[in-house]
């Protein structure tokens, strides 16, 4: 969602933290690992300012199993901007589970659900992606209205998708930032998807603590392989999978 839509407030609520009336806008990307209903999820809180939308959003959206798009129902002046970037995200990733949160419905005056559906052409979703799971919730990050219900639905759907995914992972390769190889890890290509998710989560957590947060994330496609490249300040990590595999992030 755009800046100040309520994305960081959602993360804070999921972490059990108090609501803050004025959060500072997210600068770039904030990565979070959260245990939700007994499952570990990696959430990317993407900065909503235009520069961040243009630089970061596409790569992260393409590599995600689920998309949460937060809309400020009190910001009629920027509803067309929200519409533009919502449809970009939907087209970048046609398979990801989609949760649309209409935030700030605790305010006395806001754009209601039916009007948002009309203004953003959301009735087109089932026709464009007939197989995609999606739902629309009116929520309030301030009061918690419908947040738990929405997140429970979303996480259950994402978990179903992940567990049904086919993953053929060949290896993980580490390089210094100047391109010099450090080491590599060969992995059984028949690795179970659920184990794969936990493996990458643990690896990412370790490297974040040791080497700092992710600075850049991109995917590269060759004739037979899909390569996820994660760039940090001191190291570059490349995860190589089969081209047809569902890459999990």
């Amino acid at each position: 969602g755009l800046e100040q839509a309520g994305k960081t407030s959602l993360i804070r609520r999921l972490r059990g933290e108090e609501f803050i009336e004025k959060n500072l806008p997210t600068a770039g990307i904030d990565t979070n690992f959260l245990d939700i209903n007994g499952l570990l999820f990696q959430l990317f809180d993407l900065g909503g300012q235009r520069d961040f939308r243009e630089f970061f959003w596409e790569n992260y959206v393409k590599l995600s199993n689920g998309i949460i798009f937060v809309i400020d129902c009190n910001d009629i002046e920027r509803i067309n901007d929200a519409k533009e970037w919502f449809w970009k995200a939907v087209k970048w990733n046609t398979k990801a589970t989609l949760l649309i949160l209409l935030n700030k419905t605790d305010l006395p005056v806001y754009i209601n659900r039916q009007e948002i559906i009309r203004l953003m052409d959301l009735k087109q979703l089932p026709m464009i992606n007939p197989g995609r799971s999606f739902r629309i919730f009116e929520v309030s990050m301030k009061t918690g209205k419908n947040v738990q219900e929405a997140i429970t639905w979303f996480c259950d759907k994402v978990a179903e998708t992940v567990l049904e995914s086919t993953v053929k992972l060949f290896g993980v390769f580490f390089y210094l930032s100047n391109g010099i190889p450090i080491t590599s890890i060969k992995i059984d290509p028949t690795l179970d998807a659920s184990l794969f998710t936990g493996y990458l989560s643990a690896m990412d957590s370790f490297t974040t603590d040791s080497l700092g947060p992710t600075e850049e994330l991109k995917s590269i496609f060759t004739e037979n392989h899909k390569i996820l490249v994660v760039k940090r300040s001191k190291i570059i990590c490349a995860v190589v999978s089969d081209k047809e595999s569902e890459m999990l992030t």
Side-chain angles (χ1 to χ4, degrees):
L2 307 185
E3 68 272 25
Q4 299 299 326
K7 303 181 298 296
T8 300
S9 293
L10 171 62
I11 299 294
R12 290 183 59 84
R13 179 163 286 279
L14 294 177
R15 289 197 303 230
E17 298 172 4
E18 291 185 4
F19 176 80
I20 297 177
E21 199 70 45
K22 289 288 184 181
N23 277 310
L24 291 174
T26 301
I29 304 160
D30 185 20
T31 303
N32 296 268
F33 285 96
L34 296 176
D35 186 322
I36 302 174
N37 298 336
L39 296 172
L40 182 65
F41 287 84
Q42 183 177 18
L43 304 180
F44 297 112
D45 182 4
L46 304 181
Q49 299 94 316
R50 179 167 289 275
D51 286 347
F52 296 137
R53 284 178 248 153
E54 293 176 347
F55 189 74
F56 290 117
W57 277 26
E58 184 174 358
N59 283 328
Y60 281 85
V61 169
K62 283 182 174 179
L63 292 167
S64 294
N65 297 110
I67 301 168
I68 302 174
F69 200 94
V70 184
I71 299 168
D72 182 347
C73 291
N74 194 244
D75 193 358
I76 186 63
E77 293 182 0
R78 296 199 301 165
I79 198 68
N80 285 331
D81 277 349
K83 176 182 176 180
E84 174 190 353
W85 286 91
F86 169 82
W87 283 105
K88 283 183 178 182
V90 166
K91 291 173 182 176
W92 286 332
N93 189 329
T94 60
K95 296 180 180 180
T97 298
L98 177 62
L99 176 62
I100 304 166
L101 298 181
L102 313 183
N103 188 32
K104 305 188 183 180
T105 60
D106 57 284
L107 297 175
V109 179
Y110 63 89
I111 315 169
N112 65 38
R113 188 175 187 272
Q114 291 305 315
E115 188 65 4
I116 289 285
I117 290 173
R118 184 186 70 80
L119 290 170
M120 295 191 60
D121 291 334
L122 298 183
K123 286 186 177 180
Q124 300 296 319
L125 272 173
M127 292 174 272
I128 293 173
N129 297 133
R132 185 202 295 269
S133 295
F134 77 93
R135 283 193 68 180
I136 305 168
F137 287 84
E138 287 189 353
V139 301
S140 169
M141 304 307 172
K142 183 176 183 177
T143 67
K145 170 188 170 183
N146 289 336
V147 173
Q148 189 58 51
E149 180 183 355
I151 292 300
T152 295
W153 174 85
F154 178 75
C155 291
D156 286 347
K157 285 295 181 183
V158 171
E160 288 175 14
T161 302
V162 169
L163 293 174
E164 291 171 358
S165 297
T166 301
V167 177
K168 292 183 179 178
L169 185 68
F170 297 111
V172 183
F173 303 83
F174 295 91
Y175 305 85
L176 294 176
S177 57
N178 60 9
I180 297 176
I182 303 174
T183 188
S184 62
I185 304 170
K186 291 184 178 180
I187 299 174
D188 183 351
T190 61
L191 182 67
D192 180 80
S194 59
L195 297 178
F196 175 61
T197 306
Y199 172 79
L200 282 189
S201 296
M203 184 175 68
D204 187 85
S205 180
F206 171 77
T207 52
T208 296
D209 292 342
S210 305
L211 303 167
T214 299
E215 294 183 349
E216 186 176 353
L217 180 71
K218 66 172 60 176
S219 54
I220 300 171
F221 296 89
T222 67
E223 184 177 352
N224 298 311
H225 299 94
K226 183 187 296 184
I227 305 169
L228 174 65
V229 180
V230 182
K231 182 180 179 182
R232 301 180 188 272
S233 59
K234 300 178 183 179
I235 199 169
I236 298 171
C237 174
V239 182
V240 182
S241 71
D242 181 83
K243 187 176 182 180
E244 302 304 319
S245 293
E246 297 290 339
M247 180 60 76
L248 312 177
T249 59

